[in-house]
Amino acid sequence: MAAVSDGDDYIVNGTKIWTSYAQHADMMFALVRTSTEGKRQEGISFLLIDMTAPGITVKPIINLEGVHELNQVFFDDVRVPKKNRVGEENDGWSVAKYLLEFERFSMSSVEIRRVLGRVEELARQTRNDGATLAREPAFMQKLAKLNVDATALEISEQRVLSNLSAGNPPGAASSIQKARGSEVQQQADILGVEAAAYYANPLQPEALELGTNRPPVGPELAITLVPMYLSNRMRTIAGGSSEIQRNIVAKAVLGL
Ligand SMILES: Cc1cc2nc3c(=O)[nH]c(=O)nc-3n(C[C@H](O)[C@H](O)[C@H](O)COP(=O)(O)OP(=O)(O)OC[C@H]3O[C@@H](n4cnc5c(N)ncnc54)[C@H](O)[C@@H]3O)c2cc1C
């Protein structure tokens, strides 16, 4: 996306893909190119854009789970007041890097534990053949390992929270936590699909609707496990891929 100065405004043209929930938003932020001089990271500015401004078109992208969360936003001569710029002109990358430290930090251990809790409950239910997964040591060992991983994550999350409460930004710790959290989440989701077994097969999005009057196929505990598995494939990409997080850790933490 490029922004050209015009008096008190910028004129923005181009497109921004993967914009989560743009269909609901009244404002968005975007990094726009305001100069082509210097290094690639220079010459970028950070703008807050009114989604009702003339020239903006939002096109939906349906995800793997079949849900409309993502969008591509098109800008056609969109006028954005310069007072909506955050930070200095051409210094938007510094603003974005600071913001990303916060975007990348999340309490992933909470969601992971929620999935593992469902998996454990499901594992203790007796299947049609009279067996229970909870009696299979190989399965329970995987569950135990992921519970240990979730505890380790929670401890590093609390380290970041303690930093935040002392007024410090998360720093590169959020990259470690983001890469690790998203990978453990995906492993927990895989175990969830294993626990759901053949009940992972029915496609039943209506079972997730609030107030639905159609009974689910299979145990109620299993109905969110496959949608979670599908939706969380993006975890190691969105917010910066795991490879990028490892590069940040290599540079900022290990000094490589
Ligand atoms: C579900 C979802 C929601 C999203 N929501 C938003 C949103 O709301 N707003 C927003 O702005 N963006 C959003 N994104 C975009 C997201 O931030 C990017 O997809 C992500 O940062 C990866 O960038 P990319 O797609 O350009 O992939 P690329 O950077 O092109 O990466 C492609 C592959 O190359 C690898 N790679 C790239 N560079 C290097 C390197 N230097 N070293 C090693 N490997 C490398 C990557 O790891 C990856 O495997 C979303 C993405 C997804 C999937």
Side-chain angles (χ1 to χ4, degrees):
M1 284 167 66
V4 176
S5 173
D6 184 42
D8 289 339
D9 299 331
Y10 290 109
I11 309 287
V12 177
N13 277 289
T15 178
K16 162 90 186 65
I17 197 166
W18 310 128
T19 315
S20 308
Y21 304 114
Q23 75 272 31
H24 304 302
D26 51 8
M27 294 291 287
M28 71 176 279
F29 68 81
L31 290 166
V32 295
R33 182 150 298 283
T34 35
S35 166
T36 49
E37 281 168 23
K39 287 197 280 180
R40 268 196 314 168
Q41 297 91 324
E42 291 163 7
I44 294 172
S45 300
F46 191 108
L47 296 187
L48 303 176
I49 304 177
D50 182 344
M51 294 296 280
T52 61
I56 295 184
T57 314
V58 177
K59 292 211 167 144
I61 301 172
I62 305 303
N63 73 9
L64 197 59
E65 191 198 333
V67 168
H68 178 197
E69 170 191 330
L70 298 162
N71 301 275
Q72 182 165 9
V73 186
F74 294 87
F75 298 84
D76 189 11
D77 284 333
V78 176
R79 200 164 268 280
V80 180
K82 282 187 180 162
K83 64 176 170 53
N84 282 20
R85 191 186 66 226
V86 179
E88 296 301 314
E89 189 170 82
N90 300 329
D91 194 33
W93 186 233
S94 311
V95 180
K97 276 194 296 187
Y98 184 72
L99 180 137
L100 280 167
E101 283 181 19
F102 291 86
E103 179 181 336
R104 286 170 181 160
F105 174 69
S106 67
M107 297 292 292
S108 349
S109 63
V110 175
E111 198 176 317
I112 293 166
R113 282 235 167 80
R114 195 166 25 232
V115 172
L116 295 179
R118 280 188 195 135
V119 170
E120 181 158 3
E121 241 185 284
L122 205 53
R124 297 202 183 282
Q125 292 181 1
T126 308
R127 295 192 311 233
N128 292 346
D129 60 2
T132 59
L133 263 178
R135 286 175 179 248
E136 292 181 16
F139 182 85
M140 293 310 275
Q141 198 177 15
K142 283 190 257 184
L143 183 60
K145 184 191 171 298
L146 286 168
N147 270 310
V148 172
D149 288 343
T151 304
L153 261 172
E154 190 186 345
I155 292 166
S156 40
E157 285 160 7
Q158 283 176 352
R159 214 178 289 144
V160 175
L161 285 181
S162 143
N163 245 339
L164 284 172
S165 62
N168 301 317
S174 64
S175 288
I176 303 176
Q177 188 268 335
K178 198 249 167 201
R180 189 71 195 128
S182 49
E183 287 161 13
V184 176
Q185 175 78 59
Q186 290 180 346
Q187 288 161 18
D189 292 333
I190 290 172
L191 200 66
V193 175
E194 198 179 323
Y198 36 78
Y199 289 122
N201 284 327
L203 176 69
Q204 41 183 346
E206 68 288 345
L208 297 168
E209 299 288 332
L210 259 180
T212 181
N213 57 5
R214 286 172 70 178
V217 180
E220 204 164 305
L221 273 170
I223 56 180
T224 56
L225 295 171
V226 171
M228 289 279 280
Y229 164 80
L230 293 173
S231 152
N232 284 335
R233 298 317 296 164
M234 60 76 171
R235 288 287 180 118
T236 42
I237 304 171
S241 71
S242 290
E243 289 79 6
I244 294 295
Q245 305 317 308
R246 288 194 167 89
N247 280 349
I248 292 171
V249 172
K251 278 193 197 160
V253 180
L254 304 174
L256 298 175

